[in-house]
Amino acid sequence: MAALPNISNIREMQAWSDHARREGKRIVLVPTMGFLHEGHLSLVRQGRQKGDRLVVSIFANPAQFAPTEDFDNYPRDLERDIRLLAEERVDLLFNPTAEEIYPAGYQTYVDVDQVSQPLCGAHRPGHFRGVATVVLKLFNIVRPHAAVFGLKDYQQLQVIRRMTEDLNVDVEIVACPTVREPDGLAMSSRNRYLTPVERDAALCLQSALGKAEALVVGGETAAQRIREAVVEEISRQPLARLEYADLRDPRELCPVEEVKGPTLLALCAWVGKARLIDNRILAGEGP
Ligand code: PAF
């Protein structure tokens, strides 16, 4: 298997991309925080279709973790990640250090106002500020033509879309469907925290989304009644603790009362030590 070229220095990364651009190559970036799973690899495969040079970044971004969140214990396995990316024939790995991205004296952050506030933003203050900041920095460093993000982190995708639009960032944002285990559980680095019993319990997220969908297909339009059914389904699972269940406009993420067209149902629940999120677009397709 060919070795995976690897850059960790910002100037070197920019020079690599400038060279590829001068050669007329279209650069695609897949930003990750490492500890890769099939969900990431599907972003990589989608990225491959979108251009000529595929760059994957691995950077566990301290700025998107609150002081109460366990950044130091975020799972890491760089050796395995490199092996997986080499198998996917990725052209380049960019894996900078935290000191390279946030040198001493660093003080500039990107705040995407409204779409960052509800859902995960309400429960993880500062999270999307950290995400938007690092993604904009990665765009300035890797200088991609396109970047790929998963629909599982739906709010993150909307924050990034809003940021690129508002700040006139010339990067195409590509959205990729959520990859699921055969029984429907959305793939996530956090699933590794689940014990076998909790792993079964975690399926309540999927069944709650299914219940909501069935209600909408059956003609229910009242967001409150759909939400109540979701809350009830999660509460039937004693190992799950609901953090939020919300119906929202799929682009602006403002609350909706009536499901009259495509509507985001976003869900977050704790199962054991794992904070799990999932979502579905009800009554149509997302933006
Ligand atoms: O989705 C993630 O893994 C991260 O939030 C991202 C987009 C790589 C930014 O750190």
Side-chain angles (χ1 to χ4, degrees):
M1 188 199 316
L4 177 65
N6 178 355
I7 290 179
S8 55
N9 175 273
I10 290 175
R11 291 241 174 277
E12 250 182 76
M13 182 66 243
Q14 287 170 328
W16 186 95
S17 291
D18 287 349
H19 178 76
R21 277 178 171 261
R22 274 197 304 277
E23 285 191 325
K25 305 297 183 201
R26 185 175 157 83
I27 303 168
V28 180
L29 170 66
V30 179
T32 80
M33 297 209 299
F35 207 69
L36 307 178
H37 51 69
E38 261 311 304
H40 295 110
L41 298 182
S42 83
L43 305 183
V44 168
R45 287 169 201 145
Q46 175 78 18
R48 172 59 74 210
Q49 309 299 316
K50 287 280 168 184
D52 319 295
R53 292 287 180 268
L54 183 57
V55 180
V56 174
S57 62
I58 294 184
F59 178 63
N61 175 31
Q64 68 190 72
F65 290 79
T68 50
E69 294 174 340
D70 208 356
F71 170 69
D72 291 336
N73 283 332
Y74 190 81
R76 293 165 172 87
D77 190 344
L78 188 59
E79 219 172 283
R80 181 174 166 276
D81 290 347
I82 289 176
R83 208 174 50 243
L84 291 172
L85 295 177
E87 277 167 18
E88 295 296 328
R89 298 181 332 281
V90 163
D91 294 300
L92 184 75
L93 167 65
F94 177 56
N95 66 329
T97 60
E99 292 71 34
E100 182 85 8
I101 295 292
Y102 301 113
Y106 188 88
Q107 48 191 290
T108 305
Y109 293 89
V110 181
D111 257 313
V112 182
D113 196 8
Q114 285 163 30
V115 286
S116 292
Q117 283 175 19
L119 308 174
C120 287
H123 295 269
R124 302 185 68 189
H127 172 66
F128 289 117
R129 179 184 198 244
V131 170
T133 302
V134 84
V135 169
L136 185 59
K137 281 177 72 75
L138 288 169
F139 286 177
N140 285 332
I141 296 165
V142 178
R143 302 180 174 165
H145 296 83
V148 189
F149 296 89
L151 277 159
K152 179 175 158 288
D153 295 303
Y154 190 93
Q155 187 175 14
Q156 166 171 284
L157 175 67
Q158 292 315 117
V159 167
I160 292 164
R161 278 182 169 153
R162 188 80 252 171
M163 175 192 71
T164 46
E165 208 173 309
D166 288 354
L167 298 181
N168 311 99
V169 180
D170 192 13
V171 176
E172 181 196 352
I173 305 301
V174 179
C176 223
T178 302
V179 178
R180 297 179 181 280
E181 303 281 359
D183 60 8
L185 183 68
M187 289 203 185
S188 163
S189 309
R190 292 179 173 173
N191 294 352
R192 76 189 288 267
Y193 299 126
L194 299 167
T195 64
V197 177
E198 290 166 352
R199 167 70 184 69
D200 281 348
L203 291 174
C204 67
L205 277 87
Q206 173 73 354
S207 59
L209 294 173
K211 196 145 215 178
E213 174 128 52
L215 278 174
V216 171
V217 169
E220 181 61 80
T221 60
Q224 194 181 329
R225 278 200 289 275
I226 298 164
R227 185 179 178 280
E228 279 164 9
V230 167
V231 172
E232 194 203 311
E233 185 67 16
I234 301 282
S235 68
R236 281 150 50 104
Q237 175 46 255
L239 296 180
R241 181 172 61 77
L242 186 67
E243 189 170 282
Y244 66 74
D246 237 341
L247 284 91
R248 300 246 157 196
D249 174 86
R251 186 176 287 275
E252 302 304 330
L253 305 189
C254 47
V256 297
E257 288 181 5
E258 289 288 317
V259 177
K260 292 193 228 126
T263 302
L264 169 71
L265 169 57
L267 200 52
C268 173
W270 286 84
V271 180
K273 280 190 282 187
R275 181 181 182 276
L276 304 176
I277 56 172
D278 206 342
N279 67 78
R280 192 170 294 190
I281 300 292
L282 304 172
E285 303 268 308

